[in-house]
Amino acid sequence: LLLELIAKASPALTTQSVPILISFDWSPETGEFGLMAMLIATLFCATLSTVASVIFGVPAAMRSAFLAQAVERSVSLISLNLLSALPSSIVGLVCLTILTPLLGLSVASACIALFLMSWPTLTLFITARIEQEGTSMIKAAMALGISKRTAVYRIALKHIEKDLGKIIAFTFGKAIGEATAVSFVIGKIHHNGVFPSLTETAHTLTTMILNEHPIATGDHHSVIYLAAITVGILVLLTNSFGPRLLARLI
């Protein structure tokens, strides 16, 4: 697979790979194939959606694992499993129907779509891990007079810090590679400037690949494969070094 991607991208790699990677100009009609703006938009959307997933996912996992009543726990786990199993095309269509009347085709809509793709999976992973590792610790802490809520957030969560970093890195990598749901709502129009505005349209690397691959020819076609290699490298770096970096930050 990698050799096939490199072979398809070889014209861009041999002739203009450096200008492509650092240029912000994208206009296939005039031969401008800068990927930097799309790279930044990709990381921008993935970062916002992952941060939101962590903010909402960690408390949801802690409550589902130890604090919720049986009925609430069952309903939440069933709902999360259903959400995580939804195809990205369905998520994108729902976001197109509900979000675009409010936010328009925009980066904000794309971030919410990515959040809906990422949050259920992250929450389920944390729930499973915290139940596996934290149950005995919480029982021991409660035996010493520590409240259950304190034991959950101060002891059990602290114990899975390393695994939490791996889960967050996986979620970020998944957000980088998502295309279908985002393509429904991001607008498919190249943004101006370095960082995309939440209220304007944009292209990410993956949405560009999805939308333009069927019509691309010549250098344009080669650059799309270079973009695919770039996405693959980003995901590889995220999953290789992300957990270690996050372990130091958490």
Side-chain angles (χ1 to χ4, degrees), residues 48-63 80 115 119-120 122-123 126 153:
L48 289 185
S49 66
T50 302
V51 169
S53 295
V54 172
I55 290 173
F56 289 97
V58 171
M62 297 300 102
R63 180 168 183 81
L80 288 169
F115 167 77
W119 171 68
L122 176 138
T123 305
I126 296 176
Y153 283 99

PDB file of all heavy atoms in Angstrom, residues 48-63 80 115 119-120 122-123 126 153:
ATOM      1  N   LEU A  48      -9.512  20.611  18.114  1.00  0.00           N
ATOM      2  CA  LEU A  48     -10.715  21.098  18.785  1.00  0.00           C
ATOM      3  C   LEU A  48     -11.664  19.951  19.129  1.00  0.00           C
ATOM      4  O   LEU A  48     -12.221  19.890  20.226  1.00  0.00           O
ATOM      5  CB  LEU A  48     -11.431  22.125  17.915  1.00  0.00           C
ATOM      6  CG  LEU A  48     -10.757  23.491  17.756  1.00  0.00           C
ATOM      7  CD1 LEU A  48     -11.644  24.432  16.962  1.00  0.00           C
ATOM      8  CD2 LEU A  48     -10.430  24.114  19.110  1.00  0.00           C
ATOM      9  N   SER A  49     -11.857  19.042  18.179  1.00  0.00           N
ATOM     10  CA  SER A  49     -12.781  17.933  18.431  1.00  0.00           C
ATOM     11  C   SER A  49     -12.244  16.992  19.508  1.00  0.00           C
ATOM     12  O   SER A  49     -13.007  16.482  20.334  1.00  0.00           O
ATOM     13  CB  SER A  49     -13.044  17.158  17.139  1.00  0.00           C
ATOM     14  OG  SER A  49     -11.871  16.514  16.672  1.00  0.00           O
ATOM     15  N   THR A  50     -10.927  16.773  19.526  1.00  0.00           N
ATOM     16  CA  THR A  50     -10.341  15.888  20.543  1.00  0.00           C
ATOM     17  C   THR A  50     -10.411  16.520  21.923  1.00  0.00           C
ATOM     18  O   THR A  50     -10.727  15.836  22.913  1.00  0.00           O
ATOM     19  CB  THR A  50      -8.888  15.556  20.185  1.00  0.00           C
ATOM     20  OG1 THR A  50      -8.846  14.936  18.891  1.00  0.00           O
ATOM     21  CG2 THR A  50      -8.277  14.616  21.208  1.00  0.00           C
ATOM     22  N   VAL A  51     -10.114  17.804  22.023  1.00  0.00           N
ATOM     23  CA  VAL A  51     -10.217  18.497  23.316  1.00  0.00           C
ATOM     24  C   VAL A  51     -11.650  18.418  23.840  1.00  0.00           C
ATOM     25  O   VAL A  51     -11.879  18.127  25.029  1.00  0.00           O
ATOM     26  CB  VAL A  51      -9.763  19.964  23.177  1.00  0.00           C
ATOM     27  CG1 VAL A  51     -10.115  20.762  24.435  1.00  0.00           C
ATOM     28  CG2 VAL A  51      -8.266  20.033  22.922  1.00  0.00           C
ATOM     29  N   ALA A  52     -12.628  18.661  22.967  1.00  0.00           N
ATOM     30  CA  ALA A  52     -14.029  18.571  23.383  1.00  0.00           C
ATOM     31  C   ALA A  52     -14.387  17.147  23.800  1.00  0.00           C
ATOM     32  O   ALA A  52     -15.120  16.939  24.781  1.00  0.00           O
ATOM     33  CB  ALA A  52     -14.943  19.035  22.251  1.00  0.00           C
ATOM     34  N   SER A  53     -13.865  16.166  23.083  1.00  0.00           N
ATOM     35  CA  SER A  53     -14.142  14.767  23.422  1.00  0.00           C
ATOM     36  C   SER A  53     -13.594  14.414  24.801  1.00  0.00           C
ATOM     37  O   SER A  53     -14.239  13.694  25.572  1.00  0.00           O
ATOM     38  CB  SER A  53     -13.531  13.837  22.368  1.00  0.00           C
ATOM     39  OG  SER A  53     -14.143  14.009  21.107  1.00  0.00           O
ATOM     40  N   VAL A  54     -12.412  14.925  25.122  1.00  0.00           N
ATOM     41  CA  VAL A  54     -11.816  14.669  26.435  1.00  0.00           C
ATOM     42  C   VAL A  54     -12.609  15.376  27.532  1.00  0.00           C
ATOM     43  O   VAL A  54     -12.908  14.791  28.582  1.00  0.00           O
ATOM     44  CB  VAL A  54     -10.341  15.113  26.456  1.00  0.00           C
ATOM     45  CG1 VAL A  54      -9.772  15.019  27.877  1.00  0.00           C
ATOM     46  CG2 VAL A  54      -9.518  14.257  25.506  1.00  0.00           C
ATOM     47  N   ILE A  55     -12.971  16.623  27.284  1.00  0.00           N
ATOM     48  CA  ILE A  55     -13.705  17.404  28.287  1.00  0.00           C
ATOM     49  C   ILE A  55     -15.025  16.735  28.647  1.00  0.00           C
ATOM     50  O   ILE A  55     -15.416  16.664  29.821  1.00  0.00           O
ATOM     51  CB  ILE A  55     -13.936  18.841  27.778  1.00  0.00           C
ATOM     52  CG1 ILE A  55     -12.608  19.606  27.731  1.00  0.00           C
ATOM     53  CG2 ILE A  55     -14.941  19.577  28.659  1.00  0.00           C
ATOM     54  CD1 ILE A  55     -12.703  20.968  27.091  1.00  0.00           C
ATOM     55  N   PHE A  56     -15.733  16.236  27.644  1.00  0.00           N
ATOM     56  CA  PHE A  56     -17.025  15.609  27.901  1.00  0.00           C
ATOM     57  C   PHE A  56     -16.900  14.098  28.133  1.00  0.00           C
ATOM     58  O   PHE A  56     -17.744  13.498  28.808  1.00  0.00           O
ATOM     59  CB  PHE A  56     -17.974  15.869  26.722  1.00  0.00           C
ATOM     60  CG  PHE A  56     -18.439  17.282  26.606  1.00  0.00           C
ATOM     61  CD1 PHE A  56     -17.819  18.165  25.737  1.00  0.00           C
ATOM     62  CD2 PHE A  56     -19.489  17.750  27.387  1.00  0.00           C
ATOM     63  CE1 PHE A  56     -18.247  19.482  25.627  1.00  0.00           C
ATOM     64  CE2 PHE A  56     -19.921  19.059  27.285  1.00  0.00           C
ATOM     65  CZ  PHE A  56     -19.295  19.937  26.408  1.00  0.00           C
ATOM     66  N   GLY A  57     -15.850  13.486  27.581  1.00  0.00           N
ATOM     67  CA  GLY A  57     -15.743  12.034  27.646  1.00  0.00           C
ATOM     68  C   GLY A  57     -15.258  11.507  28.976  1.00  0.00           C
ATOM     69  O   GLY A  57     -15.762  10.482  29.467  1.00  0.00           O
ATOM     70  N   VAL A  58     -14.279  12.176  29.579  1.00  0.00           N
ATOM     71  CA  VAL A  58     -13.738  11.690  30.855  1.00  0.00           C
ATOM     72  C   VAL A  58     -14.797  11.706  31.954  1.00  0.00           C
ATOM     73  O   VAL A  58     -15.001  10.679  32.628  1.00  0.00           O
ATOM     74  CB  VAL A  58     -12.484  12.499  31.255  1.00  0.00           C
ATOM     75  CG1 VAL A  58     -12.055  12.133  32.676  1.00  0.00           C
ATOM     76  CG2 VAL A  58     -11.344  12.226  30.283  1.00  0.00           C
ATOM     77  N   PRO A  59     -15.503  12.810  32.188  1.00  0.00           N
ATOM     78  CA  PRO A  59     -16.556  12.768  33.217  1.00  0.00           C
ATOM     79  C   PRO A  59     -17.656  11.746  32.900  1.00  0.00           C
ATOM     80  O   PRO A  59     -18.163  11.084  33.816  1.00  0.00           O
ATOM     81  CB  PRO A  59     -17.115  14.198  33.209  1.00  0.00           C
ATOM     82  CG  PRO A  59     -16.034  15.035  32.632  1.00  0.00           C
ATOM     83  CD  PRO A  59     -15.349  14.163  31.626  1.00  0.00           C
ATOM     84  N   ALA A  60     -18.016  11.632  31.608  1.00  0.00           N
ATOM     85  CA  ALA A  60     -19.048  10.662  31.234  1.00  0.00           C
ATOM     86  C   ALA A  60     -18.593   9.240  31.534  1.00  0.00           C
ATOM     87  O   ALA A  60     -19.377   8.409  32.015  1.00  0.00           O
ATOM     88  CB  ALA A  60     -19.385  10.810  29.746  1.00  0.00           C
ATOM     89  N   ALA A  61     -17.320   8.952  31.263  1.00  0.00           N
ATOM     90  CA  ALA A  61     -16.794   7.612  31.537  1.00  0.00           C
ATOM     91  C   ALA A  61     -16.739   7.340  33.026  1.00  0.00           C
ATOM     92  O   ALA A  61     -17.086   6.236  33.487  1.00  0.00           O
ATOM     93  CB  ALA A  61     -15.396   7.473  30.923  1.00  0.00           C
ATOM     94  N   MET A  62     -16.294   8.325  33.812  1.00  0.00           N
ATOM     95  CA  MET A  62     -16.222   8.140  35.255  1.00  0.00           C
ATOM     96  C   MET A  62     -17.608   7.902  35.862  1.00  0.00           C
ATOM     97  O   MET A  62     -17.792   7.021  36.707  1.00  0.00           O
ATOM     98  CB  MET A  62     -15.604   9.382  35.919  1.00  0.00           C
ATOM     99  CG  MET A  62     -14.175   9.690  35.520  1.00  0.00           C
ATOM    100  SD  MET A  62     -13.002   8.374  35.912  1.00  0.00           S
ATOM    101  CE  MET A  62     -12.792   7.630  34.300  1.00  0.00           C
ATOM    102  N   ARG A  63     -18.574   8.670  35.396  1.00  0.00           N
ATOM    103  CA  ARG A  63     -19.937   8.505  35.914  1.00  0.00           C
ATOM    104  C   ARG A  63     -20.518   7.157  35.481  1.00  0.00           C
ATOM    105  O   ARG A  63     -21.123   6.442  36.283  1.00  0.00           O
ATOM    106  CB  ARG A  63     -20.837   9.639  35.430  1.00  0.00           C
ATOM    107  CG  ARG A  63     -22.252   9.514  35.945  1.00  0.00           C
ATOM    108  CD  ARG A  63     -23.081  10.758  35.733  1.00  0.00           C
ATOM    109  NE  ARG A  63     -24.401  10.584  36.310  1.00  0.00           N
ATOM    110  CZ  ARG A  63     -24.691  10.726  37.589  1.00  0.00           C
ATOM    111  NH1 ARG A  63     -23.744  11.081  38.442  1.00  0.00           N
ATOM    112  NH2 ARG A  63     -25.916  10.544  38.048  1.00  0.00           N
ATOM    113  N   LEU A  80     -23.984   5.049  23.772  1.00  0.00           N
ATOM    114  CA  LEU A  80     -22.612   5.264  23.306  1.00  0.00           C
ATOM    115  C   LEU A  80     -22.208   4.225  22.266  1.00  0.00           C
ATOM    116  O   LEU A  80     -21.548   4.550  21.272  1.00  0.00           O
ATOM    117  CB  LEU A  80     -21.648   5.235  24.487  1.00  0.00           C
ATOM    118  CG  LEU A  80     -21.688   6.438  25.425  1.00  0.00           C
ATOM    119  CD1 LEU A  80     -20.885   6.157  26.692  1.00  0.00           C
ATOM    120  CD2 LEU A  80     -21.153   7.684  24.724  1.00  0.00           C
ATOM    121  N   PHE A 115     -16.395  15.663  16.547  1.00  0.00           N
ATOM    122  CA  PHE A 115     -16.665  15.362  17.952  1.00  0.00           C
ATOM    123  C   PHE A 115     -17.650  14.199  18.073  1.00  0.00           C
ATOM    124  O   PHE A 115     -17.454  13.282  18.887  1.00  0.00           O
ATOM    125  CB  PHE A 115     -17.230  16.607  18.642  1.00  0.00           C
ATOM    126  CG  PHE A 115     -17.828  16.350  19.993  1.00  0.00           C
ATOM    127  CD1 PHE A 115     -17.019  16.156  21.103  1.00  0.00           C
ATOM    128  CD2 PHE A 115     -19.213  16.292  20.161  1.00  0.00           C
ATOM    129  CE1 PHE A 115     -17.564  15.906  22.352  1.00  0.00           C
ATOM    130  CE2 PHE A 115     -19.768  16.043  21.404  1.00  0.00           C
ATOM    131  CZ  PHE A 115     -18.946  15.843  22.502  1.00  0.00           C
ATOM    132  N   TRP A 119     -16.129  11.280  20.276  1.00  0.00           N
ATOM    133  CA  TRP A 119     -16.489  11.244  21.695  1.00  0.00           C
ATOM    134  C   TRP A 119     -17.017   9.896  22.172  1.00  0.00           C
ATOM    135  O   TRP A 119     -16.581   9.400  23.222  1.00  0.00           O
ATOM    136  CB  TRP A 119     -17.500  12.356  21.990  1.00  0.00           C
ATOM    137  CG  TRP A 119     -18.104  12.275  23.346  1.00  0.00           C
ATOM    138  CD1 TRP A 119     -17.472  12.474  24.545  1.00  0.00           C
ATOM    139  CD2 TRP A 119     -19.458  11.944  23.666  1.00  0.00           C
ATOM    140  NE1 TRP A 119     -18.355  12.302  25.581  1.00  0.00           N
ATOM    141  CE2 TRP A 119     -19.580  11.971  25.071  1.00  0.00           C
ATOM    142  CE3 TRP A 119     -20.582  11.643  22.897  1.00  0.00           C
ATOM    143  CZ2 TRP A 119     -20.786  11.701  25.715  1.00  0.00           C
ATOM    144  CZ3 TRP A 119     -21.779  11.369  23.531  1.00  0.00           C
ATOM    145  CH2 TRP A 119     -21.869  11.396  24.926  1.00  0.00           C
ATOM    146  N   PRO A 120     -17.946   9.238  21.458  1.00  0.00           N
ATOM    147  CA  PRO A 120     -18.449   7.953  21.972  1.00  0.00           C
ATOM    148  C   PRO A 120     -17.358   6.899  22.120  1.00  0.00           C
ATOM    149  O   PRO A 120     -17.310   6.175  23.126  1.00  0.00           O
ATOM    150  CB  PRO A 120     -19.488   7.538  20.913  1.00  0.00           C
ATOM    151  CG  PRO A 120     -19.879   8.803  20.235  1.00  0.00           C
ATOM    152  CD  PRO A 120     -18.645   9.631  20.220  1.00  0.00           C
ATOM    153  N   LEU A 122     -14.033   7.354  22.487  1.00  0.00           N
ATOM    154  CA  LEU A 122     -13.140   7.712  23.589  1.00  0.00           C
ATOM    155  C   LEU A 122     -13.781   7.387  24.938  1.00  0.00           C
ATOM    156  O   LEU A 122     -13.133   6.825  25.831  1.00  0.00           O
ATOM    157  CB  LEU A 122     -12.791   9.197  23.505  1.00  0.00           C
ATOM    158  CG  LEU A 122     -11.933   9.761  24.643  1.00  0.00           C
ATOM    159  CD1 LEU A 122     -10.856  10.695  24.100  1.00  0.00           C
ATOM    160  CD2 LEU A 122     -12.794  10.533  25.646  1.00  0.00           C
ATOM    161  N   THR A 123     -15.058   7.709  25.090  1.00  0.00           N
ATOM    162  CA  THR A 123     -15.748   7.463  26.355  1.00  0.00           C
ATOM    163  C   THR A 123     -15.833   5.973  26.667  1.00  0.00           C
ATOM    164  O   THR A 123     -15.607   5.549  27.810  1.00  0.00           O
ATOM    165  CB  THR A 123     -17.166   8.074  26.311  1.00  0.00           C
ATOM    166  OG1 THR A 123     -17.076   9.461  25.979  1.00  0.00           O
ATOM    167  CG2 THR A 123     -17.863   7.927  27.658  1.00  0.00           C
ATOM    168  N   ILE A 126     -12.321   4.665  27.729  1.00  0.00           N
ATOM    169  CA  ILE A 126     -11.963   5.063  29.094  1.00  0.00           C
ATOM    170  C   ILE A 126     -12.810   4.291  30.108  1.00  0.00           C
ATOM    171  O   ILE A 126     -12.305   3.853  31.152  1.00  0.00           O
ATOM    172  CB  ILE A 126     -12.131   6.577  29.276  1.00  0.00           C
ATOM    173  CG1 ILE A 126     -11.157   7.335  28.369  1.00  0.00           C
ATOM    174  CG2 ILE A 126     -11.891   6.973  30.727  1.00  0.00           C
ATOM    175  CD1 ILE A 126     -11.318   8.838  28.409  1.00  0.00           C
ATOM    176  N   TYR A 153     -12.156  10.245  40.896  1.00  0.00           N
ATOM    177  CA  TYR A 153     -11.448  11.281  40.141  1.00  0.00           C
ATOM    178  C   TYR A 153      -9.998  11.474  40.590  1.00  0.00           C
ATOM    179  O   TYR A 153      -9.159  11.875  39.793  1.00  0.00           O
ATOM    180  CB  TYR A 153     -12.203  12.610  40.245  1.00  0.00           C
ATOM    181  CG  TYR A 153     -13.424  12.659  39.368  1.00  0.00           C
ATOM    182  CD1 TYR A 153     -14.692  12.409  39.882  1.00  0.00           C
ATOM    183  CD2 TYR A 153     -13.319  12.934  38.014  1.00  0.00           C
ATOM    184  CE1 TYR A 153     -15.819  12.448  39.068  1.00  0.00           C
ATOM    185  CE2 TYR A 153     -14.435  12.981  37.188  1.00  0.00           C
ATOM    186  CZ  TYR A 153     -15.677  12.731  37.728  1.00  0.00           C
ATOM    187  OH  TYR A 153     -16.779  12.763  36.917  1.00  0.00           O
TER     188      TYR A 153
END
